[in-house]
Amino acid sequence: MTLNVMNCTRCGKLCMRTPAELCPACVRELDEHCERCVKYIKENSGTTLQELSEATEIPVKQIIRFIREGRISLVRTPNLHYPCESCGEPIQEQTLCDSCRQRMAKEIQASIKGDDALVQEQTKEDHITFQIRDRLQGRRR
Ligand SMILES: [Zn+2]
Ligand SMILES: [Zn+2]
């Protein structure tokens, strides 16, 4: 086998390697899903994540991915939130809420200063985050 083929990370089909690690059929499908979300948001600015998911029949997880990738803007949808990856607080941008971001920033600063206890604490959290991500990827297949 050469390095030019891969299994699509979405449907598992063998295909030519692409930067997004998705086969052309999935890329097209995701584009179409994204357009459906954008269109619904435009017509229903008061929608929530749940409502959007039900109306478009696109899984919540997929919609959150679109938002994080910047493909869906939440500028005009004050009711559309998704959970902070760390504490679950509703947020509208990035992957963490303000307080978690501040906490992370503090921990990073502390680790630069060489505070061993905090470094260890952070490594543990990173490990947990990876486990969650692995699980999410497993579920997507
Ligand atoms: Zn695919
Ligand atoms: Zn948080």
Side-chain angles (χ1 to χ4, degrees):
M1 274 312 198
T2 70
L3 288 173
N4 289 328
V5 293
M6 52 148 214
N7 286 100
C8 168
T9 54
R10 190 159 176 270
C11 69
K13 239 188 275 170
L14 196 68
C15 61
M16 293 299 288
R17 185 170 289 281
T18 60
E21 303 206 334
L22 292 168
C23 69
C26 282
V27 169
R28 255 199 314 275
E29 207 183 310
L30 288 177
D31 280 350
E32 196 265 317
H33 284 183
C34 188
E35 262 170 49
R36 225 191 291 168
C37 289
V38 170
K39 190 161 171 279
Y40 186 82
I41 286 173
K42 221 183 258 176
E43 290 161 2
N44 306 273
S45 59
T47 187
T48 62
L49 184 60
Q50 204 56 43
E51 189 190 321
L52 176 64
S53 170
E54 277 164 21
T56 56
E57 292 177 346
I58 296 164
V60 165
K61 289 246 156 27
Q62 184 59 59
I63 296 173
I64 293 174
R65 262 176 72 118
F66 287 146
I67 296 167
R68 286 186 184 148
E69 287 168 1
R71 297 175 74 178
I72 296 177
S73 163
L74 302 184
V75 176
R76 281 176 235 282
T77 51
N79 299 326
L80 210 167
H81 305 279
Y82 57 94
C84 162
E85 209 166 64
S86 178
C87 71
E89 277 290 305
I91 50 171
Q92 283 208 302
E93 55 177 5
Q94 304 194 38
T95 53
L96 297 169
C97 69
D98 280 345
S99 62
C100 286
R101 246 180 303 173
Q102 274 167 22
R103 184 167 50 83
M104 294 270 175
K106 242 183 251 165
E107 282 170 7
I108 289 165
Q109 250 175 9
S111 72
I112 291 167
K113 278 184 208 149
D115 186 329
D116 284 343
L118 264 177
V119 176
Q120 267 175 5
E121 196 55 41
Q122 208 198 339
T123 315
K124 224 191 290 165
E125 275 186 31
D126 280 347
H127 187 62
I128 293 166
T129 312
F130 275 125
Q131 280 183 331
I132 292 168
R133 203 167 295 151
D134 286 344
R135 231 182 296 149
L136 290 181
Q137 271 172 356
R139 211 180 295 161
R140 204 146 37 83
R141 267 167 217 210

